Amino acid sequence: MNVQFKKWSILWAMVLMAGTVAFAQDPAATPADPKPTTEVGQRKENQQDGIAQGVKSGQLTAGETANLETKEAAINGETRADRAANGGKLTAAEKATVNKQQNQLSKQIYADKHNANTAHYGNNPVGQRRENQQDRIAQGIKSGQLTAGETAKLENQQKGINQQVSADRKANGGKLTAGEKAQINKEQNHASKNIYNKKHNAKTQPGTKK
């Protein structure tokens, strides 16, 4: 009787141990809570998605994008300053101000995407290179690898190159000389390195905390 009781005690202990190990290995037993997304942070993400789509489609020119991202960067800077002054949070009045500013920016994004200005790339190596750069910038905006400030700088660089191409074509009956093409390619190589560096540095579009 004593021996039988010991056997049942050992068996029961083994069952309990197996159950404990199984619970510890089951990821569903301790689900991770998703990170909360604030209204301010979600609004910011929506704006950037809208800009990225406009860059990708050609509805936004480099100059328009640079202007929009400069304004977005200013809103982001103001939001960071407000949070720093209030222990990481925004007051109700500050949230209302940010929302008003984002409403104004949203209207401008819509207007710029639906005006007569579009990015015409052209079916040529220069136009294709320009389109590739814009696609890479759009991807960086969408993924959050590029901050609004970084995007503004990259788009200002593209705006400068585009203006140079336009001026060169105007001076040469709509065409570029071999020397001008080589110069534009050199400038786009430099811009390409800038895009890569900014997409792979420590700066990313930060998630907004409550």
Side-chain angles (χ1 to χ4, degrees):
M1 188 73 176
N2 226 357
V3 174
Q4 191 175 2
F5 178 76
K6 286 182 179 178
K7 285 181 179 179
W8 278 108
S9 296
I10 293 171
L11 181 60
W12 182 245
M14 289 175 68
V15 170
L16 283 175
M17 188 178 298
T20 302
V21 172
F23 181 83
Q25 291 178 339
D26 183 8
T30 53
D33 292 328
K35 293 182 179 179
T37 303
T38 65
E39 184 180 347
V40 172
Q42 188 60 55
R43 188 73 189 278
K44 175 181 170 183
E45 184 178 344
N46 291 344
Q47 301 284 52
Q48 290 301 93
D49 287 348
I51 292 173
Q53 186 276 329
V55 173
K56 180 76 176 175
S57 67
Q59 289 173 286
L60 292 175
T61 66
E64 287 172 335
T65 305
N67 184 42
L68 291 171
E69 290 287 29
T70 297
K71 291 184 177 181
E72 182 68 45
I75 295 173
N76 295 344
E78 183 180 335
T79 302
R80 283 194 299 271
D82 288 341
R83 289 186 185 282
N86 296 310
K89 296 183 178 181
L90 294 175
T91 65
E94 289 166 345
K95 287 180 182 179
T97 298
V98 171
N99 192 55
K100 183 178 180 181
Q101 291 171 334
Q102 290 286 19
N103 283 342
Q104 292 172 343
L105 183 60
S106 184
K107 288 179 181 178
Q108 187 172 348
I109 292 171
Y110 182 88
D112 286 348
K113 288 173 71 173
H114 294 85
N115 63 16
N117 298 327
T118 55
H120 298 292
Y121 301 116
N123 188 22
N124 54 67
V126 172
Q128 188 60 54
R129 186 76 188 275
R130 176 184 168 194
E131 183 176 357
N132 290 344
Q133 303 285 53
Q134 290 300 94
D135 286 348
R136 290 172 63 205
I137 292 172
Q139 186 276 329
I141 299 169
K142 183 76 175 175
S143 67
Q145 289 173 284
L146 292 174
T147 66
E150 288 175 329
T151 303
K153 290 177 182 178
L154 292 173
E155 290 288 29
N156 271 323
Q157 188 174 24
Q158 286 298 310
K159 178 183 176 183
I161 295 173
N162 295 342
Q163 288 174 337
Q164 182 180 336
V165 172
S166 180
D168 288 343
R169 288 187 186 282
K170 189 174 181 180
N172 297 308
K175 296 182 178 181
L176 295 174
T177 66
E180 289 166 345
K181 288 179 182 179
Q183 178 61 29
I184 294 300
N185 193 54
K186 183 178 179 181
E187 292 176 14
Q188 286 289 23
N189 284 342
H190 182 61
S192 184
K193 289 179 182 177
N194 280 348
I195 294 170
Y196 180 88
N197 290 337
K198 283 180 169 54
K199 286 176 71 174
H200 294 85
N201 62 16
K203 296 179 181 178
T204 55
Q205 199 67 256
T208 310
K209 298 179 181 178
K210 285 183 178 180

mmCIF file of all heavy atoms in Angstrom, residues 40 78-79 81-83 85-86 89-101:
data_model
loop_
_atom_site.group_PDB
_atom_site.id
_atom_site.type_symbol
_atom_site.label_atom_id
_atom_site.label_comp_id
_atom_site.label_asym_id
_atom_site.label_seq_id
_atom_site.Cartn_x
_atom_site.Cartn_y
_atom_site.Cartn_z
ATOM 1 N N VAL A 40 -2.879 61.861 -32.277
ATOM 2 C CA VAL A 40 -1.871 62.744 -32.879
ATOM 3 C C VAL A 40 -0.901 61.936 -33.732
ATOM 4 O O VAL A 40 -0.574 62.308 -34.862
ATOM 5 C CB VAL A 40 -1.097 63.513 -31.781
ATOM 6 C CG1 VAL A 40 0.079 64.275 -32.384
ATOM 7 C CG2 VAL A 40 -2.021 64.480 -31.054
ATOM 8 N N GLU A 78 7.239 71.307 -32.909
ATOM 9 C CA GLU A 78 6.390 71.961 -31.908
ATOM 10 C C GLU A 78 5.795 70.926 -30.952
ATOM 11 O O GLU A 78 5.733 71.143 -29.740
ATOM 12 C CB GLU A 78 5.270 72.725 -32.612
ATOM 13 C CG GLU A 78 4.367 73.495 -31.664
ATOM 14 C CD GLU A 78 3.263 74.243 -32.393
ATOM 15 O OE1 GLU A 78 3.445 74.565 -33.586
ATOM 16 O OE2 GLU A 78 2.216 74.486 -31.774
ATOM 17 N N THR A 79 5.374 69.778 -31.506
ATOM 18 C CA THR A 79 4.793 68.710 -30.679
ATOM 19 C C THR A 79 5.821 68.173 -29.687
ATOM 20 O O THR A 79 5.515 67.956 -28.511
ATOM 21 C CB THR A 79 4.282 67.557 -31.568
ATOM 22 O OG1 THR A 79 3.320 68.064 -32.493
ATOM 23 C CG2 THR A 79 3.632 66.465 -30.727
ATOM 24 N N ALA A 81 8.437 69.739 -28.502
ATOM 25 C CA ALA A 81 8.702 70.767 -27.491
ATOM 26 C C ALA A 81 7.599 70.804 -26.441
ATOM 27 O O ALA A 81 7.868 70.933 -25.243
ATOM 28 C CB ALA A 81 8.844 72.133 -28.164
ATOM 29 N N ASP A 82 6.350 70.676 -26.890
ATOM 30 C CA ASP A 82 5.214 70.674 -25.956
ATOM 31 C C ASP A 82 5.279 69.467 -25.027
ATOM 32 O O ASP A 82 5.028 69.577 -23.822
ATOM 33 C CB ASP A 82 3.888 70.660 -26.724
ATOM 34 C CG ASP A 82 3.590 71.994 -27.408
ATOM 35 O OD1 ASP A 82 4.188 73.003 -27.001
ATOM 36 O OD2 ASP A 82 2.761 72.012 -28.339
ATOM 37 N N ARG A 83 5.616 68.319 -25.576
ATOM 38 C CA ARG A 83 5.719 67.103 -24.751
ATOM 39 C C ARG A 83 6.846 67.243 -23.721
ATOM 40 O O ARG A 83 6.695 66.828 -22.575
ATOM 41 C CB ARG A 83 5.975 65.880 -25.632
ATOM 42 C CG ARG A 83 4.782 65.455 -26.458
ATOM 43 C CD ARG A 83 5.070 64.147 -27.184
ATOM 44 N NE ARG A 83 3.984 63.797 -28.074
ATOM 45 C CZ ARG A 83 2.840 63.263 -27.710
ATOM 46 N NH1 ARG A 83 2.604 63.037 -26.438
ATOM 47 N NH2 ARG A 83 1.908 62.965 -28.601
ATOM 48 N N ALA A 85 7.895 69.846 -22.360
ATOM 49 C CA ALA A 85 7.521 70.805 -21.318
ATOM 50 C C ALA A 85 6.433 70.265 -20.388
ATOM 51 O O ALA A 85 6.181 70.836 -19.335
ATOM 52 C CB ALA A 85 7.024 72.104 -21.971
ATOM 53 N N ASN A 86 5.810 69.140 -20.801
ATOM 54 C CA ASN A 86 4.687 68.612 -20.008
ATOM 55 C C ASN A 86 4.876 67.150 -19.605
ATOM 56 O O ASN A 86 3.908 66.386 -19.545
ATOM 57 C CB ASN A 86 3.377 68.750 -20.801
ATOM 58 C CG ASN A 86 3.009 70.198 -21.054
ATOM 59 O OD1 ASN A 86 3.005 71.014 -20.141
ATOM 60 N ND2 ASN A 86 2.709 70.527 -22.301
ATOM 61 N N LYS A 89 3.612 64.451 -22.267
ATOM 62 C CA LYS A 89 2.224 64.449 -22.715
ATOM 63 C C LYS A 89 1.841 65.792 -23.340
ATOM 64 O O LYS A 89 2.544 66.779 -23.195
ATOM 65 C CB LYS A 89 1.288 64.137 -21.546
ATOM 66 C CG LYS A 89 1.477 62.742 -20.961
ATOM 67 C CD LYS A 89 0.468 62.479 -19.864
ATOM 68 C CE LYS A 89 0.626 61.068 -19.299
ATOM 69 N NZ LYS A 89 -0.375 60.783 -18.246
ATOM 70 N N LEU A 90 0.710 65.782 -24.046
ATOM 71 C CA LEU A 90 0.158 67.012 -24.608
ATOM 72 C C LEU A 90 -1.103 67.383 -23.837
ATOM 73 O O LEU A 90 -1.904 66.520 -23.481
ATOM 74 C CB LEU A 90 -0.207 66.813 -26.083
ATOM 75 C CG LEU A 90 0.928 66.562 -27.072
ATOM 76 C CD1 LEU A 90 0.356 66.278 -28.448
ATOM 77 C CD2 LEU A 90 1.888 67.740 -27.122
ATOM 78 N N THR A 91 -1.271 68.662 -23.600
ATOM 79 C CA THR A 91 -2.497 69.124 -22.955
ATOM 80 C C THR A 91 -3.627 69.086 -23.989
ATOM 81 O O THR A 91 -3.383 68.960 -25.201
ATOM 82 C CB THR A 91 -2.349 70.556 -22.424
ATOM 83 O OG1 THR A 91 -2.173 71.448 -23.552
ATOM 84 C CG2 THR A 91 -1.145 70.679 -21.495
ATOM 85 N N ALA A 92 -4.850 69.218 -23.519
ATOM 86 C CA ALA A 92 -6.003 69.229 -24.424
ATOM 87 C C ALA A 92 -5.904 70.385 -25.418
ATOM 88 O O ALA A 92 -6.212 70.229 -26.606
ATOM 89 C CB ALA A 92 -7.292 69.337 -23.619
ATOM 90 N N ALA A 93 -5.441 71.542 -24.949
ATOM 91 C CA ALA A 93 -5.301 72.715 -25.820
ATOM 92 C C ALA A 93 -4.228 72.486 -26.879
ATOM 93 O O ALA A 93 -4.383 72.878 -28.038
ATOM 94 C CB ALA A 93 -4.965 73.941 -24.983
ATOM 95 N N GLU A 94 -3.117 71.844 -26.480
ATOM 96 C CA GLU A 94 -2.024 71.559 -27.420
ATOM 97 C C GLU A 94 -2.471 70.549 -28.479
ATOM 98 O O GLU A 94 -2.138 70.688 -29.661
ATOM 99 C CB GLU A 94 -0.797 71.045 -26.663
ATOM 100 C CG GLU A 94 -0.108 72.133 -25.847
ATOM 101 C CD GLU A 94 0.879 71.595 -24.835
ATOM 102 O OE1 GLU A 94 0.859 70.381 -24.547
ATOM 103 O OE2 GLU A 94 1.686 72.394 -24.319
ATOM 104 N N LYS A 95 -3.235 69.542 -28.056
ATOM 105 C CA LYS A 95 -3.765 68.573 -29.017
ATOM 106 C C LYS A 95 -4.678 69.259 -30.029
ATOM 107 O O LYS A 95 -4.644 68.955 -31.220
ATOM 108 C CB LYS A 95 -4.536 67.474 -28.284
ATOM 109 C CG LYS A 95 -3.666 66.487 -27.534
ATOM 110 C CD LYS A 95 -4.519 65.441 -26.840
ATOM 111 C CE LYS A 95 -3.666 64.471 -26.035
ATOM 112 N NZ LYS A 95 -4.496 63.461 -25.331
ATOM 113 N N ALA A 96 -5.490 70.187 -29.541
ATOM 114 C CA ALA A 96 -6.404 70.918 -30.426
ATOM 115 C C ALA A 96 -5.618 71.758 -31.432
ATOM 116 O O ALA A 96 -5.986 71.836 -32.611
ATOM 117 C CB ALA A 96 -7.326 71.807 -29.608
ATOM 118 N N THR A 97 -4.523 72.378 -30.968
ATOM 119 C CA THR A 97 -3.686 73.202 -31.855
ATOM 120 C C THR A 97 -3.033 72.347 -32.925
ATOM 121 O O THR A 97 -3.017 72.710 -34.114
ATOM 122 C CB THR A 97 -2.602 73.936 -31.040
ATOM 123 O OG1 THR A 97 -3.239 74.819 -30.107
ATOM 124 C CG2 THR A 97 -1.684 74.737 -31.947
ATOM 125 N N VAL A 98 -2.474 71.204 -32.513
ATOM 126 C CA VAL A 98 -1.834 70.299 -33.467
ATOM 127 C C VAL A 98 -2.846 69.803 -34.495
ATOM 128 O O VAL A 98 -2.566 69.740 -35.699
ATOM 129 C CB VAL A 98 -1.175 69.097 -32.737
ATOM 130 C CG1 VAL A 98 -0.715 68.044 -33.747
ATOM 131 C CG2 VAL A 98 0.005 69.564 -31.902
ATOM 132 N N ASN A 99 -4.045 69.470 -34.029
ATOM 133 C CA ASN A 99 -5.088 68.983 -34.935
ATOM 134 C C ASN A 99 -5.489 70.056 -35.956
ATOM 135 O O ASN A 99 -5.693 69.763 -37.141
ATOM 136 C CB ASN A 99 -6.315 68.555 -34.134
ATOM 137 C CG ASN A 99 -7.309 67.780 -34.972
ATOM 138 O OD1 ASN A 99 -6.969 66.780 -35.599
ATOM 139 N ND2 ASN A 99 -8.549 68.243 -35.002
ATOM 140 N N LYS A 100 -5.547 71.299 -35.500
ATOM 141 C CA LYS A 100 -5.875 72.415 -36.404
ATOM 142 C C LYS A 100 -4.780 72.586 -37.462
ATOM 143 O O LYS A 100 -5.066 72.789 -38.648
ATOM 144 C CB LYS A 100 -6.027 73.702 -35.589
ATOM 145 C CG LYS A 100 -6.442 74.916 -36.413
ATOM 146 C CD LYS A 100 -6.622 76.135 -35.524
ATOM 147 C CE LYS A 100 -7.025 77.353 -36.337
ATOM 148 N NZ LYS A 100 -7.181 78.565 -35.493
ATOM 149 N N GLN A 101 -3.520 72.493 -37.016
ATOM 150 C CA GLN A 101 -2.408 72.623 -37.956
ATOM 151 C C GLN A 101 -2.395 71.469 -38.965
ATOM 152 O O GLN A 101 -2.131 71.673 -40.157
ATOM 153 C CB GLN A 101 -1.084 72.645 -37.175
ATOM 154 C CG GLN A 101 -0.887 73.906 -36.351
ATOM 155 C CD GLN A 101 0.316 73.808 -35.425
ATOM 156 O OE1 GLN A 101 0.721 72.712 -35.016
ATOM 157 N NE2 GLN A 101 0.896 74.944 -35.085
#
